């Protein structure tokens, strides 16, 4: 019990951030956290019965920060195309500034088999609220420009834009992790993605 009293959920998350920043997501284990905090592995498990809960607590503030960045980028835009471009460019810039954070936020949860287990809905609720806020901000901008959205669902377009941006960053992160430079400049590829996304979508059938 003494070991448990020496740590808190907050201190565990803070040390998790340091480990990821210094050594990457693969280095984040309960054993590594225990060593960093000078306690037993059981002391970590006492606060975090599984890694998914730790990832959730690590990720939620980062996801909220992402939402704040995107909502701020959208504020001055006055057209659907401008909103789409600002959203995607801000998303990419935010995550390219810290690929370790991005991997922990969007890639690490895919490898935890407990993520979809009992109680996952409760764990995911605050994450859904954060993503909904960024989707809602873009949806409002797109929905106000019928010349851009046509008969398409503005919310679907907003989610698709976010997915496209995350896919772009994932490929950059993959190239980075393999030390395999991309054939095209990242800024040129981003320009190409923006060009695709800012074309008025085809009318839904």
């Amino acid at each position: 019990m003494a070991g448990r009293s020496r740590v808190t959920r907050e201190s565990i998350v803070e040390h998790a951030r340091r480990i990821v920043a210094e050594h990457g997501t693969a280095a984040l284990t309960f054993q590594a956290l225990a060593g960093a905090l000078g306690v037993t592995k059981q002391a970590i498990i006492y606060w975090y019965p599984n890694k998914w809960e730790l990832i959730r607590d690590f990720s939620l503030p980062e996801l909220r920060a992402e939402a704040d960045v995107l909502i701020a980028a959208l504020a001055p835009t006055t057209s659907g195309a401008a909103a789409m471009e600002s959203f995607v460019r801000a998303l990419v810039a935010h995550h390219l500034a810290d690929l370790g954070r991005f991997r922990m936020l969007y890639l690490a949860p895919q490898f935890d088999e407990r993520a979809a287990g009992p109680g996952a809905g409760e764990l995911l609720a605050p994450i859904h609220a954060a993503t909904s806020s960024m989707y809602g901000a873009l949806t409002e901008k797109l929905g106000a420009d019928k010349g851009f959205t046509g008969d398409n669902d503005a919310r679907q377009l907003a989610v698709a834009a976010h997915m496209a941006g995350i896919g772009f960053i994932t490929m950059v992160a993959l190239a980075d992790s393999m030390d395999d430079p991309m054939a095209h400049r990242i800024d040129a590829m981003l320009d190409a993605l923006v060009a695709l996304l800012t074309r008025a979508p085809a009318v839904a059938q």
Side-chain angles (χ1 to χ4, degrees):
M1 188 67 181
R4 295 172 185 170
S5 66
R6 290 163 53 189
V7 299
T8 63
R9 294 177 76 93
E10 291 76 14
S11 65
I12 292 172
V13 171
E14 178 57 31
H15 277 77
R17 292 184 193 283
R18 293 179 187 174
I19 290 171
V20 170
E22 295 174 8
H23 306 292
T25 55
L28 182 60
T29 65
F30 284 175
Q31 192 61 55
L33 281 167
L37 286 159
V39 297
T40 66
K41 183 177 176 180
Q42 286 304 120
I44 306 298
I45 294 174
Y46 173 79
W47 293 104
Y48 287 102
N50 60 69
K51 195 173 181 181
W52 165 245
E53 292 191 36
L54 173 59
I55 291 173
R56 185 278 311 270
D57 283 1
F58 178 107
S59 300
L60 186 56
E62 303 295 352
L63 195 58
R64 287 172 173 161
E66 177 191 314
D68 289 344
V69 166
L70 299 182
I71 291 170
L74 287 168
T77 62
T78 57
S79 70
M84 185 70 81
E85 177 169 2
S86 293
F87 183 91
V88 174
R89 289 192 183 279
L91 174 66
V92 171
H94 177 68
H95 288 303
L96 289 189
D98 189 340
L99 287 177
R101 175 188 62 199
F102 172 76
R103 292 185 178 104
M104 190 67 179
L105 183 57
Y106 283 101
L107 304 182
Q110 298 181 45
F111 301 101
D112 190 333
E113 62 185 13
R114 297 174 184 262
E122 182 179 348
L123 292 174
L124 289 169
I127 291 177
H128 289 163
T131 55
S132 183
S133 67
M134 65 178 90
Y135 295 156
L138 182 54
T139 297
E140 182 177 355
K141 292 286 186 175
L142 297 179
D145 186 354
K146 292 300 182 183
F148 180 77
T149 59
D151 292 334
N152 292 278
D153 186 298
R155 179 79 174 193
Q156 289 183 356
L157 294 177
V159 175
H162 188 254
M163 292 174 68
I166 294 301
F168 181 95
I169 303 159
T170 298
M171 293 305 297
V172 174
L174 176 62
D176 174 77
S177 67
M178 298 180 68
D179 195 22
D180 181 24
M182 300 182 73
H184 303 282
R185 296 194 330 272
I186 293 174
D187 59 341
M189 294 304 297
L190 178 57
D191 288 344
L193 177 62
V194 167
L196 285 172
L197 293 175
T198 53
R199 293 175 182 170
V203 177
Q205 300 298 316

